Amino acid sequence: MTALRRVTGDVKHAPAALSTLDVLWVLYDRILRVDPTRPDAPERDRFLLSKGHGPAAYYAVLATKGFFPADWLDDLAGPASRLGHHPDRTLVPGTEISSGSLGHGLGLSVGTALGLRAQGLTSPHVYVLVGDAELDEGSNHEAVAYAGATGLDNLTAIVIDNRSATHGWPGGIASRFAVNGWTTADVDGRDHDAIATGLRQRIPHRPHVVVARVEPKFEGA
Amino acid sequence: MGGDRQGWLLPLRNLTAIVDVNRLGQRGPTELEWDMDAYRRRFEAFDWNAIVIDGHDLCAVDEALRQVRGIDRPTAILARTIKGKGLPQVENEANWHGKALPPDLAEKAVAELGGLRDIRVTSPRPELGTPAGATTAGGQVTLPTYDKGDKVATRKAFGDALLALGARTDVVVLDAEVSNSTHTDEFGKAYPDRFFEMFIAEQQMVAAAVGMQVRGYRPFAATFAAFFTRAHDFIRMAAISQADISLAGSHVGVEIGPDGPSQMGLEDMSMMRSVLGSTVLYPSDAVSCAALVGQMVDRDGVNYIRTTRGSYPVLYDSDESFPIGGSKQVRGSDNDDVALFGAGVTLHNCLAAADMLADAGIRARVIDLYSVKPIDGPAILEAARVTGGRVIVAEDHYAEGGLGEAVMAVCAEEGIRVTHLAVRTLPASGDPNELLKAAGIDALTIAETARSITGR
């Protein structure tokens, strides 16, 4: 993607950006009903990037889809740039949450989905992207249990499983969601059709999780 | 790392959790009520062994506790119980949480339970062992030394000092997946059996530190200062339990620059100062940092040290001492015009400001408040007396609850007005010097403030 190549800086989190690029592209290209000319349209789908570290891919996708001019990418994290090392909802058009402290997005997405449901807005769907290492924060498990108990079927979580810094997942990541009543899909995080198919799955009264496997060897790319 | 379990990361087979599943919370039914299977599946999904029993069946309780002995994983005994068991009027009813029975019901309860009797139960006795606290301290600690003027980050000095403390076998270190930023990785490489990677789970990191100090260890837990905030309840309870732990928060203030406000520790001094009996330290250079870490290890209570991301000049000779509760006058005379208080990056900015003021003929006293709590009240009041009450404090922290208010609390007793420079608006992501300037805690702003209050 040419937009990503424009991105300079943020060397530290480059691997994190690369692991999320395919999923983000599929989300914005095929799944999310969002309008760059009206980023705050009430009926829009919500996308929350919990894993706010390494947002270069996120910024590149938002720019390509017209949320802001592509030349913003040339000055990522520069002194006058609106694009910081961690996304700021007050500065980046199309960004739902400020992130950078891990283990927040899933909980915030539960609140977003509950709020939409309470107002009778049945059309918008809430998507949240989390990292596998980030799931070690206990707050995620509170959110997973609550979403399952309340049957939040307007919520889909995507876990990027690049087997990064974590103690591992005996029985798999998906099983921890499944025991709390979530439906699950396990996909190759580089296969765009598989990602799209996984994201489209939905069963009434159950939240859904897509575990996107990304080979750690890609991390050095 | 992935799914391959390393030696130190083996399941805790010496741990058994007993869950009292009585269906009721304080206000009414719980989320899962008596769905014992749901509880079982949750524990099993986390690779625990789980046993469901009737919690009122003493034989079942006994049998379950016997079973766990041979299991190679932690076990959860899920005991289905009835709240208020034994008294029909109260059994399984909401609204009895934390309430005493009225006298007539109490009498009935005693009768239902079999009347007044004197029953003594002899439980298994532990084998004779080594008392907690007897961990042998071992080797000689030689703290690192630095050359004056060299630029060294205090977070690096913290890592160096911790590595030196590793000579003592009672020192353990816990990390929340940022050891290469906090510099605890050096300790981890040298003493892998006393280094505990807790991954991205700060609450568990602090809780584990509290658990380990019970065995006589002197734990240090380190992460970014900003992320200790999510473990505040564990820190608060550590003080209530009178636990002895040391915490180290790095990457403080707007000084971290490009990583932006989500990574900036701007509330940590406020949080840590408010903990009962706590110690809060904020060194400005590598020498004082190492000296303070050397004292933290044997200090009781909750100890906190705040370290800076960037590298700044070493200010002191390596043989200088830094008693907790003290301060250092880095610049000054007997007839100073204004007093500048700082710590961390702002101390360096105060020194640069003092140079600018000297050019304008204004004499500034500069004081390093490396001990934020307890704070050196006498030195602050003496500086205020000498300068006729012209006092400025600058801190890379929000205005509430930090170094500034610690100084103001001392000065308020003597009716001295303090000019307080601190971070008062949401910082951006950018160059550290630009952000310090935007917050008004840079050298130029400090100097201009001094000129305005001295009227020169």
Side-chain angles (χ1 to χ4, degrees):
Chain A
M1 189 192 301
T2 51
L4 188 62
R5 280 190 219 113
R6 294 186 70 144
V7 176
T8 55
D10 196 30
V11 172
K12 185 171 76 174
H13 284 120
L18 292 170
S19 70
T20 56
L21 178 59
D22 292 275
V23 167
L24 287 167
W25 180 252
V26 172
L27 270 165
Y28 277 87
D29 198 48
R30 306 196 199 176
I31 304 290
L32 292 174
R33 292 163 301 171
V34 288
D35 180 356
T37 64
R38 293 183 305 130
D40 55 354
E43 293 288 334
R44 74 189 184 280
D45 288 335
R46 271 66 171 177
F47 173 68
L48 284 66
L49 179 68
S50 181
K51 186 186 150 134
H53 300 256
Y58 181 49
Y59 293 152
V61 170
L62 285 173
T64 304
K65 289 297 177 185
F67 283 89
F68 51 79
D71 59 14
W72 286 21
L73 299 172
D74 297 338
D75 184 34
L76 190 144
S81 176
R82 296 163 74 93
L83 310 180
H85 280 309
H86 304 92
D88 186 326
R89 64 180 289 275
T90 66
L91 299 176
V92 187
T95 297
E96 301 284 352
I97 59 167
S98 295
S99 55
S101 184
L102 296 170
H104 286 246
L106 204 46
L108 294 170
S109 71
V110 166
T112 307
L114 273 177
L116 290 166
R117 188 166 80 175
Q119 291 176 334
L121 286 168
T122 53
S123 168
H125 196 83
V126 182
Y127 297 86
V128 57
L129 189 149
V130 300
D132 60 329
E134 177 186 13
L135 281 179
D136 286 332
E137 292 284 15
S139 54
N140 289 297
H141 299 289
E142 297 179 22
V144 169
Y146 192 86
T150 50
L152 278 180
D153 54 8
N154 57 347
L155 174 64
T156 295
I158 305 114
V159 181
I160 301 291
D161 182 10
N162 61 12
R163 282 177 277 154
S164 58
T166 171
H167 42 61
W169 309 94
I173 290 175
S175 68
R176 301 197 183 185
F177 288 80
V179 293
N180 286 287
W182 291 53
T183 55
T184 68
D186 188 63
V187 304
D188 174 348
R190 302 289 175 199
D191 181 338
H192 289 199
D193 289 335
I195 294 167
T197 305
L199 287 170
R200 289 198 181 104
Q201 288 172 23
R202 253 170 241 180
I203 290 181
H205 311 301
R206 296 177 71 180
H208 182 57
V209 64
V210 178
V211 178
R213 280 171 285 107
V214 181
E215 284 307 310
K217 71 179 180 217
F218 276 88
E219 295 295 279
Chain B
M1 193 153 298
D4 304 328
R5 305 218 141 192
Q6 298 183 359
W8 59 271
L9 198 53
L10 289 170
L12 284 172
R13 60 187 298 175
N14 59 348
L15 173 64
T16 299
I18 301 160
V19 185
D20 178 14
V21 186
N22 69 13
R23 191 190 74 82
L24 290 169
Q26 175 176 307
R27 50 138 283 285
T30 58
E31 187 179 302
L32 292 176
E33 300 206 41
W34 274 325
D35 189 346
M36 305 306 289
D37 203 44
Y39 281 108
R40 182 184 57 73
R41 282 184 279 118
R42 285 190 184 184
F43 275 98
E44 286 175 353
F46 284 75
D47 219 28
W48 284 52
N49 175 47
I51 308 171
V52 177
I53 59 165
D54 171 357
H56 299 296
D57 178 345
L58 295 186
C59 291
V61 175
D62 216 24
E63 179 55 29
L65 288 168
R66 215 184 306 276
Q67 271 183 37
V68 304
R69 293 269 167 184
I71 308 287
D72 62 355
R73 290 172 290 155
T75 295
I77 299 174
L78 303 163
R80 184 186 189 278
T81 60
I82 298 167
K83 203 170 181 178
K85 169 80 173 169
L87 188 62
Q89 289 94 330
V90 175
E91 255 184 30
N92 200 23
E93 289 287 336
N95 293 323
W96 281 100
H97 190 92
K99 277 185 205 164
L101 294 175
D104 57 324
L105 269 182
E107 234 171 81
K108 273 188 198 168
V110 173
E112 288 277 350
L113 293 167
L116 283 175
R117 286 171 296 169
D118 185 8
I119 302 172
R120 282 158 204 270
V121 179
T122 307
S123 60
R125 295 283 188 264
E127 291 161 24
L128 285 176
T130 314
T135 314
T136 46
Q140 187 65 39
V141 174
T142 308
L143 290 173
T145 58
Y146 303 92
D147 293 327
K148 251 171 134 170
D150 282 1
K151 286 189 172 180
V152 184
T154 49
R155 62 180 168 131
K156 177 68 170 70
F158 164 74
D160 295 343
L162 212 51
L163 179 63
L165 286 176
R168 286 173 52 158
T169 56
D170 59 347
V171 173
V172 291
V173 174
L174 299 93
D175 169 44
E177 226 289 309
V178 286
S179 61
N180 53 342
S181 291
T182 59
H183 291 290
T184 57
D185 55 351
E186 296 301 325
F187 182 101
K189 280 177 220 155
Y191 306 103
D193 54 331
R194 283 186 277 124
F195 178 77
F196 298 87
E197 180 54 70
M198 307 309 290
F199 298 97
I200 308 174
E202 294 78 12
Q203 297 182 72
Q204 180 59 70
M205 177 176 68
V206 174
V210 172
M212 293 183 86
Q213 60 90 44
V214 174
R215 285 300 306 165
Y217 284 113
R218 309 300 296 185
F220 279 82
T223 183
F224 283 27
F227 304 139
F228 270 118
T229 54
R230 75 191 303 150
H232 192 186
D233 190 21
F234 289 86
I235 296 168
R236 190 182 71 82
M237 287 303 296
I240 288 173
S241 299
Q242 306 201 355
D244 303 327
I245 56 170
S246 289
L247 309 175
S250 65
H251 294 70
V252 302
V254 303
E255 192 272 347
I256 70 164
D259 272 349
S262 71
Q263 317 295 301
M264 294 171 177
L266 286 163
E267 309 90 349
D268 57 308
M269 279 197 285
S270 177
M271 174 177 88
M272 297 307 307
R273 277 182 70 224
S274 67
V275 170
L276 185 71
S278 67
T279 299
V280 179
L281 306 169
Y282 187 10
S284 300
D285 87 330
V287 168
S288 55
C289 180
L292 293 168
V293 173
Q295 294 172 75
M296 285 172 85
V297 66
D298 288 318
R299 192 167 171 91
D300 289 345
V302 174
N303 302 298
Y304 177 65
I305 191 164
R306 180 176 214 249
T307 62
T308 304
R309 180 177 189 273
S311 299
Y312 295 89
V314 172
L315 299 171
Y316 304 107
D317 291 320
S318 285
D319 58 358
E320 194 112 20
S321 70
F322 297 84
I324 290 171
S327 65
K328 286 276 176 213
Q329 182 174 312
V330 192
R331 186 89 50 98
S333 64
D334 292 335
N335 53 350
D336 292 320
D337 302 309
V338 62
L340 309 178
F341 297 113
V345 67
T346 60
L347 182 76
H348 294 276
N349 293 349
C350 286
L351 286 168
D355 290 339
M356 296 177 194
L357 292 167
D359 292 342
I362 300 170
R363 291 175 301 266
R365 175 174 294 205
V366 178
I367 293 187
D368 174 0
L369 292 175
Y370 61 80
S371 182
V372 179
K373 181 188 175 186
I375 197 154
D376 190 352
I380 293 169
L381 293 176
E382 171 63 11
R385 191 190 61 74
V386 168
T387 59
R390 286 187 288 273
V391 172
I392 298 171
V393 56
E395 62 178 325
D396 195 358
H397 185 276
Y398 286 141
E400 294 80 9
L403 181 68
E405 290 193 351
V407 170
M408 287 158 85
V410 170
C411 290
E413 289 177 21
E414 303 289 327
I416 299 160
R417 187 172 171 275
V418 176
T419 302
H420 181 198
L421 305 177
V423 182
R424 293 174 194 274
T425 55
L426 184 64
S429 182
D431 171 71
N433 290 322
E434 291 292 324
L435 296 182
L436 289 163
K437 191 177 164 198
I441 52 175
D442 60 318
L444 188 61
T445 307
I446 294 168
E448 282 170 355
T449 306
R451 293 180 92 152
S452 99
I453 67 168
T454 53
R456 286 157 65 184

